[in-house]
């Protein structure tokens, strides 16, 4: 590694990932580890500093996570955020007190003293507080650096030892200058070079992949989604024709999607791409299935079977490329986080075939989603691919309620294409909506067109706004846009006589209908 690294120690905060993302936005590489990660593992990264995250615990609670000696013994700069600050104060002999009232929400921070930690920042800052305990007195040799109405000591520091603590959360968007504060710590205090840029990320990943795979071949299941597309472009840059990509068209893609993937990767980028049209097999397997979970399982199994068959035709391949991204890695390493209840079985294209032996190549393993997109852009992938909204692995099978037939899929594709086209024209496909699509319902209703009676199916439009897809609100699309989409669908798509708009948030509904 040729970049400087800041380690975030996760004490169970909801926003530990955000801390690392903000540090990276400041151009400095950052990784997250559970607070009790062994010393050797942390120091192997040759970090330039540590950030201690917040926590749901109070430092006085039995079983509260502690500050391991090796963090301070390393002599490296440390920044404690919220619980992290209280932990520093508690460990170093300051006074932490349980506050009567929990302080939660916006606060005005008044900076005391002028030092590199606050460089470039105004003397009063809007910050976000969320804490119960607070610092009554800083440890010996520490000075108070800021206060707010409710926190007489809202920041502390020992500039000589380069140890700092802040009571507020610089990582959340409610602290508008938060990234500058984290940048000050990483760059001015820790001395990191802010050179973690997409170009550098690409160079490092390319070098790592070349070293890992040597002259072996790598197999990749390309779905056309953001992650697998960026993996394809990166691996192609690294190893050229040693990458063999298989693109399975299961007939459940949106209008024009299969062609776009083949045009982009095979024609423009010259990838060694094997397109497989498996539509008939998938539709045959789905025949008569209407239960949502059964559909998901059917598509998943069929996918693996097809992928295995195509892979066998390609002969012995040592490696399998995967689009694992950093949040997946952190989730699987995180302590004390019971697995959330499975609401729907998720199927991801490119999933590991059951009885084949591969070593994995995971070039996006250390990247957050926004970094994946920026790397994709830097690699020259088309904008509509890089900024594509998420699309479920089982594809239109879970948006075509009732039985999945070719005729109904075509109806759904036509309606969906109209919605997307109108949103794109209105500039609402990127940002204004996080995900927008049409759903075909097996519900027929009476309509009138010209002098005739119609009795066609129903199209439901779904558009949501969300940051994380765990919760979502329905998008308040302009009424005239909805009117245009509705009129066009009923006029242009045969056998649809009604269009409705889904106004349910998540929870209680999910984003997809199945
Ligand atoms: P739900 O419907 O659970 O969807 O609210 C949350 C997000 O996940 C996407 N989704 C999937 N993505 N494989 C995927 O890769 C799947 O099986 C799958 N099912 C849902 C959904 O589109 C939304 O963005």
């Amino acid at each position: 590694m040729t970049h400087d690294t800041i380690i975030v120690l996760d004490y169970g905060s909801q926003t530990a990932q955000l801390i690392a993302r903000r540090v990276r936005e400041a151009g400095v590489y950052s990784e997250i580890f559970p607070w009790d990660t062994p010393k050797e593992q942390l120091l192997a990264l040759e970090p330039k500093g540590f950030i201690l995250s917040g926590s749901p615990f109070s430092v006085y609670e039995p079983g509260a996570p502690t500050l391991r000696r090796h963090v301070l013994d390393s002599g490296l700069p440390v920044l404690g955020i919220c619980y992290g600050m209280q932990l520093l104060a508690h460990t170093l002999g300051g006074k932490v007190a349980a506050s009567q009232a929990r302080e939660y929400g916006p606060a005005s921070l008044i900076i005391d003293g002028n030092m590199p930690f606050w460089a470039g920042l105004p003397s009063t800052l809007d910050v976000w507080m969320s804490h119960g305990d607070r610092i009554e007195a800083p440890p010996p040799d520490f000075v108070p650096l800021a206060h707010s109405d409710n926190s007489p000591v809202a920041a502390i520091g020992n500039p000589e030892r380069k140890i700092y603590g802040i009571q507020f959360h610089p990582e959340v968007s409610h602290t508008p200058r938060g990234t500058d504060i984290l940048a000050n710590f990483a760059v001015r205090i820790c001395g990191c070079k802010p050179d973690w840029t997409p170009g550098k990320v690409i160079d490092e990943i390319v070098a790592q992949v070349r070293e890992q795979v040597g002259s072996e071949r790598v197999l990749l299941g390309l779905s056309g989604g953001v992650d697998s597309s960026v993996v394809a472009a990166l691996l192609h840059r690294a190893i050229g024709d040693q990458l063999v990509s298989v693109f399975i068209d299961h007939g459940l893609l949106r209008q024009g999607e299969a062609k776009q993937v083949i045009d982009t990767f095979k024609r423009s980028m010259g990838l060694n791409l094997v397109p497989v049209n498996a539509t008939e097999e998938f539709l045959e397997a789905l025949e008569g299935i209407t239960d949502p979970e059964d559909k998901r399982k059917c598509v998943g199994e069929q996918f693996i079977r097809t992928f295995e068959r195509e892979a066998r035709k390609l002969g012995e391949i040592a490696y399998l490329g995967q689009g694992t991204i950093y949040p997946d890695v952190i989730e699987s390493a995180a302590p004390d986080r019971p697995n959330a209840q499975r609401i729907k079985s998720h199927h991801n294209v490119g999933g590991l075939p059951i009885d084949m032996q591969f070593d994995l190549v995971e070039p996006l393993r250390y990247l957050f989603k926004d970094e994946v997109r920026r790397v994709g852009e830097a690699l020259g992938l088309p904008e509509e691919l890089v900024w594509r909204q998420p699309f479920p692995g089982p594809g239109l099978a879970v948006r075509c309620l009732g039985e999945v037939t070719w005729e109904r899929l075509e109806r759904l594709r036509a309606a969906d294409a109209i919605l997307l086209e109108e949103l794109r024209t209105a500039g609402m496909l990127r940002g204004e909506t996080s995900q927008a699509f049409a759903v075909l319902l097996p519900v027929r209703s009476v309509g009138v067109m010209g002098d005739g009676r119609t009795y066609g199916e129903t199209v439901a439009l779904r558009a949501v706004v969300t940051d994380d897809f765990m919760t979502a609100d329905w998008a308040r699309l302009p009424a005239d846009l909805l009117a245009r989409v509705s009129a066009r669908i009923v006029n242009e798509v045969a056998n649809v006589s009604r269009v409705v708009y889904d106004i349910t948030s998540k929870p209680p509904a999910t984003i997809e209908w199945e």
Side-chain angles (χ1 to χ4, degrees):
M1 295 274 167
T2 54
H3 52 254
D4 295 335
T5 301
I6 297 289
I7 287 182
V8 175
L9 291 176
D10 181 5
Y11 281 86
S13 159
Q14 298 290 331
T15 51
Q17 287 195 27
L18 268 181
I19 302 174
R21 274 174 58 186
R22 297 277 175 263
V23 174
R24 290 191 192 186
E25 272 167 29
V28 175
Y29 183 71
S30 176
E31 265 191 56
I32 305 171
F33 289 90
W35 63 273
D36 55 355
T37 302
K39 175 181 173 184
E40 298 70 33
Q41 204 180 329
L42 298 178
L43 296 187
L45 258 78
E46 297 177 21
K48 294 268 185 176
F50 289 100
I51 297 180
L52 319 178
S53 84
S55 171
F57 279 94
S58 151
V59 286
Y60 293 117
E61 236 168 287
T66 55
L67 180 60
R68 291 286 162 102
R69 279 191 64 128
H70 52 252
V71 174
L72 294 179
D73 286 353
S74 71
L76 293 166
V78 181
L79 170 64
I81 295 175
C82 195
Y83 181 83
M85 173 200 198
Q86 292 151 12
L87 198 56
L88 282 170
H90 183 62
T91 313
L92 294 169
K95 197 162 161 229
V96 182
S99 179
Q100 305 302 50
R102 200 180 157 75
E103 187 182 10
Y104 180 85
S108 211
L109 186 86
I110 296 143
I111 288 173
D112 304 317
N114 177 12
M115 43 173 65
F117 190 79
W118 300 124
L121 293 160
S123 54
T124 308
L125 281 173
D126 293 330
V127 299
W128 186 260
M129 294 283 193
S130 169
H131 62 104
D133 295 352
R134 65 181 198 190
I135 310 279
E136 300 268 286
D141 306 327
F142 278 68
V143 287
L145 296 182
H147 65 273
S148 71
D149 281 349
N150 279 311
S151 299
V153 186
I156 56 172
N158 178 331
E160 236 150 76
R161 292 178 69 186
K162 299 189 176 176
I163 300 178
Y164 295 86
I166 49 182
Q167 186 61 81
F168 57 93
H169 290 269
E171 70 276 20
V172 301
S173 57
H174 310 293
T175 301
R177 301 296 300 268
T179 304
D180 298 317
I181 295 169
L182 292 169
N184 276 352
F185 175 70
V187 178
R188 288 176 195 267
I189 312 287
C190 301
C192 294
K193 278 192 292 303
D195 60 358
W196 177 251
T197 58
K200 176 146 179 144
V201 176
I202 294 169
D203 290 347
E204 287 200 5
I205 294 176
V206 162
Q208 277 164 6
V209 169
R210 284 185 183 150
E211 192 184 318
Q212 185 189 356
V213 307
S215 58
E216 296 287 350
R217 286 193 301 165
V218 179
L219 177 66
L220 177 71
L222 181 64
S223 69
V226 179
D227 299 343
S228 77
S229 296
V230 176
V231 171
L234 265 172
L235 292 181
H236 181 64
R237 163 100 38 122
I239 55 171
D241 274 354
Q242 282 165 254
L243 170 70
V244 188
S245 303
V246 174
F247 169 62
I248 296 173
D249 177 2
H250 46 24
L252 304 166
L253 297 170
R254 288 168 293 191
Q255 199 168 78
E257 215 165 8
K259 184 175 178 304
Q260 191 203 20
V261 172
I262 297 170
D263 283 351
T264 305
F265 289 98
K266 199 172 174 81
R267 311 237 155 82
S268 317
M269 295 180 69
L271 239 73
N272 186 358
L273 177 71
V274 184
V276 180
N277 188 341
T279 303
E280 274 185 33
E281 294 157 47
F282 274 78
L283 288 187
E284 233 165 71
L286 280 165
E287 211 176 299
I289 301 183
T290 53
D291 178 78
E293 275 300 293
D294 290 349
K295 279 184 188 173
R296 284 174 172 269
K297 282 201 196 90
C298 173
V299 177
E301 281 164 18
Q302 192 63 34
F303 187 86
I304 290 176
R305 213 169 299 147
T306 312
F307 192 74
E308 279 183 326
R309 185 190 66 214
E310 295 302 319
R312 284 216 177 81
K313 291 186 196 161
L314 299 167
E316 206 42 35
I317 297 187
Y319 289 94
L320 184 74
Q322 292 249 290
T324 320
I325 63 174
Y326 193 44
D328 307 331
V329 176
I330 305 169
E331 292 305 326
S332 58
D336 309 316
R337 290 219 177 108
N339 282 334
Q341 197 194 346
R342 172 172 288 197
I343 310 277
K344 296 173 185 176
S345 60
H346 272 220
H347 147 65
N348 289 309
V349 172
L352 190 61
I354 6 185
D355 63 345
M356 299 187 88
Q357 293 296 314
F358 289 105
D359 285 324
L360 295 182
V361 181
E362 300 177 307
L364 311 180
R365 212 182 147 72
Y366 293 103
L367 303 185
F368 288 110
K369 191 83 180 186
D370 43 332
E371 294 174 308
V372 171
R373 291 203 158 106
R374 265 180 286 159
V375 164
E377 276 179 334
L379 286 164
L381 287 175
E383 187 184 317
E384 70 265 25
L385 222 159
V386 169
W387 290 98
R388 226 180 76 139
Q389 297 186 341
F391 185 64
L396 297 184
V398 293
R399 293 180 181 172
C400 188
L401 274 60
E403 199 175 350
V404 183
T405 64
W406 183 252
E407 190 204 340
R408 296 191 70 226
L409 284 171
E410 286 288 277
R411 195 172 296 150
L412 171 56
R413 267 191 272 271
D416 186 67
I418 291 171
L419 171 65
L420 297 188
E421 187 188 317
E422 291 294 338
L423 284 172
R424 192 174 298 120
T425 308
M428 298 190 74
L429 212 46
R430 205 178 135 174
E432 307 273 339
T433 55
S434 311
Q435 203 172 2
F437 52 89
V439 180
L440 184 66
L441 310 184
V443 174
R444 298 212 286 169
S445 68
V446 174
V448 51
M449 270 183 101
D451 295 328
R453 173 185 186 274
T454 57
Y455 189 49
E457 289 192 305
T458 308
V459 165
L461 307 175
R462 180 72 158 148
V464 296
V465 186
T466 171
D467 282 332
D468 57 7
F469 296 90
M470 309 290 284
T471 62
D473 195 9
W474 58 279
R476 303 319 195 246
L477 295 183
D480 31 341
L481 182 132
L482 287 170
R484 225 165 26 243
V485 173
S486 158
R488 279 193 60 193
I489 290 178
V490 177
N491 283 319
E492 296 172 31
V493 185
N495 287 312
V496 174
S497 39
R498 207 165 286 264
V499 176
V500 297
Y501 189 49
D502 181 350
I503 51 166
T504 336
S505 60
K506 172 185 178 175
T510 52
I511 295 175
E512 302 288 346
W513 277 46
E514 285 192 342

